[in-house]
Amino acid sequence: MTRNHFVQDQAADRAFLAGAALRQGRALLSLDDSLDELTLLAETAGLNVVGRDSQLVSKISPKTFIGPGKLAEVIEQITLLDAKVLIFDDELSPRHQREIEKQLPEDLRLLDRTSLILDIFAQHARTSEGALQVELAQYEYRLPRLTRQWTHLARQAGGGGARGGSGGVGLRGPGETQLEVDRREIARKITKLKGDLEQVRARRSLHRARRRRSGSPLVALVGYTNAGKSTLLNALTDSHVYAADKLFATLDPTTRRVALPDGGEILLSDTVGFIQKLPTTLIAAFRATLEEVLDTDLILHVADVSHKNAAQQIEAVEDTLAEIDAAHVPRLLALNKIDQLAGALPQLGQTDNYVDTIAISARHGLGLDSLLSAISAAIERGRTRLDVVIPYQAGKVYSELNDKQYIESERTGANGWELRLLLPQADADAYQPFAAGGIKSE
């Protein structure tokens, strides 16, 4: 599959960053911190950041995002620094992009945070599924922004036009601009990609159902990008999932078995890292992957407690979980990288919505036993008891419950197997039709 990159593969591309913040606005990160993060994103994409500028504004300019005077200053700095890429720290609307591009030199590329993240995802997607999701997000981002790359809009797809020329039969007339042809082609590709991803969702749903039938609780790893999720997965499973000290090092979900101290086991799934201002097109395109989080017994949120913006990063992850309707799933907070702390654990604000908080170092194996015990306890709290009567003719249901190890006690009765189940709350509804009035003790 061909991947469309927004950033060209030139390691020495010189980039200049620009950002704006509302004076009365409430941003997750300060303007400087957000630009620091944008710098890391640019470097991850292979760019060399040579300068940056920012502006506090009363309102975002409807034409140029930052004020026109500030934009002129930015262009002057770019010229002096010989930068070839201008990156804005927010998603630019199609109008912003058009108006800004009118004032830029022809050889200067314009990117925004969204297009930069999309390019990083395109570089790091290893599986066909990941590539499909990124490609869909890219096309949906590009469709309303087909402007500057088509400076040949006067060229007609269809020949000579209505005023003469030698167009063939059926091709005379006004024809279509190349832009219209491209828009229709991209719309066609978006439709096909969505269809392909629906098949991916269906396959993932079947895989989750098979994992659920195994009886092992499902735990999803989530966290801000570079919080150490993959390192923790490797530490708990003695596996070798790719992990690196950079943003979005891994995108493709990985599931591994993990033994628990009580003799049980869980299935632990790593997911894509989150980030503030995560593009909505990416959240929509990665729905098939993010649905892994929705169908789990527990969310294990890994946070880099050594980061100066740890509290804000935790909030960004919480916001994304709410956006994908996963706020109802029980969550356990793992404060990672305690080996990098000079003193005590920092105050992180409200963490009352977590069933527990455990300090760990995935890299050095610190606190992992406590973490596994906390996972066991959290899963136990997330289970419920249900008394059921399974008719003898429904032997398949009885076998399923037995295979899942949901049966806590049983006895034979006049109407079927009388069972007391201990099972995840998420599975209780499936067996509610067999609910009994309670198994009476002898």
Side-chain angles (χ1 to χ4, degrees), residues 79-324:
T79 303
L80 291 173
L81 293 169
D82 193 28
K84 300 302 180 185
V85 184
L86 170 60
I87 310 174
F88 275 78
D89 190 33
D90 284 277
E91 181 171 317
L92 298 175
S93 69
R95 184 189 181 190
H96 284 141
Q97 182 172 317
R98 287 192 302 270
E99 295 297 334
I100 293 171
E101 284 183 335
K102 288 177 183 178
Q103 302 187 42
L104 299 183
E106 284 294 325
D107 62 343
L108 183 66
R109 280 180 288 139
L110 175 64
L111 301 177
D112 60 12
R113 174 182 271 258
T114 296
S115 58
L116 185 62
I117 291 175
L118 287 173
D119 184 81
I120 294 169
F121 271 51
Q123 292 181 39
H124 291 179
R126 302 284 180 240
T127 65
S128 58
E129 176 189 339
L132 277 174
Q133 293 176 118
V134 174
E135 190 172 6
L136 174 60
Q138 286 182 318
Y139 278 131
E140 289 189 323
Y141 172 85
R142 284 182 169 185
L143 185 58
R145 292 172 172 82
L146 288 179
T147 53
R148 186 173 178 175
Q149 61 262 50
W150 295 115
T151 55
H152 55 294
L153 295 187
R155 177 163 64 87
Q156 301 293 316
R163 298 183 181 179
S166 55
V169 175
L171 297 180
R172 295 182 179 88
E176 295 177 291
T177 66
Q178 185 64 37
L179 179 59
E180 290 166 342
V181 172
D182 295 327
R183 280 180 173 157
R184 192 170 65 249
E185 177 64 13
I186 286 181
R188 184 189 66 79
K189 288 182 177 179
I190 287 174
T191 299
K192 182 180 185 305
L193 286 168
K194 285 183 175 179
D196 292 343
L197 283 173
E198 279 302 312
Q199 296 180 26
V200 169
R201 290 185 67 222
R203 288 198 299 271
R204 279 204 166 276
S205 179
L206 288 174
H207 291 161
R208 284 198 299 272
R210 281 201 293 268
R211 291 201 298 267
R212 180 64 72 187
R213 285 196 296 271
S214 74
S216 298
L218 309 180
V219 178
L221 274 172
V222 304
Y224 209 79
T225 181
N226 206 31
K229 295 186 293 87
S230 297
T231 302
L232 179 58
L233 183 67
N234 287 336
L236 292 177
T237 63
D238 194 27
S239 56
H240 303 284
V241 176
Y242 179 70
D245 186 20
K246 60 184 181 181
L247 305 185
F248 301 116
T250 54
L251 295 181
D252 302 307
T254 304
T255 301
R256 295 287 187 270
R257 293 184 180 275
V258 178
L260 296 177
D262 60 6
E265 68 173 17
I266 59 170
L267 293 175
L268 185 62
S269 292
D270 194 6
T271 60
V272 62
F274 298 156
I275 197 170
Q276 61 131 3
K277 305 178 185 177
L278 190 65
T280 54
T281 52
L282 265 181
I283 294 175
F286 271 74
R287 185 176 61 160
T289 299
L290 294 175
E291 280 179 351
E292 294 284 319
V293 178
L294 299 178
D295 191 27
T296 57
D297 299 284
L298 180 69
I299 291 174
L300 179 54
H301 179 175
V302 183
D304 177 2
V305 72
S306 69
H307 198 284
K308 66 177 182 177
N309 293 317
Q312 290 80 5
Q313 291 185 353
I314 290 172
E315 185 178 346
V317 173
E318 286 289 317
D319 289 345
T320 305
L321 289 175
E323 189 168 350
I324 63 173

Side-chain angles (χ1 to χ4, degrees), residues 346-397:
Q347 295 296 317
L348 297 175
Q350 290 292 332
T351 56
D352 296 340
N353 53 341
Y354 291 91
V355 296
D356 206 346
T357 300
I358 307 295
I360 66 168
S361 170
R363 184 177 298 279
H364 296 285
L366 303 175
L368 298 190
D369 289 342
S370 297
L371 178 62
L372 290 174
S373 296
I375 291 173
S376 292
I379 288 173
E380 183 66 24
R381 284 197 295 272
R383 296 197 165 198
T384 187
R385 284 180 169 82
L386 180 67
D387 292 337
V388 298
V389 176
I390 307 298
Y392 291 123
Q393 61 267 33
K396 185 176 180 181
V397 176

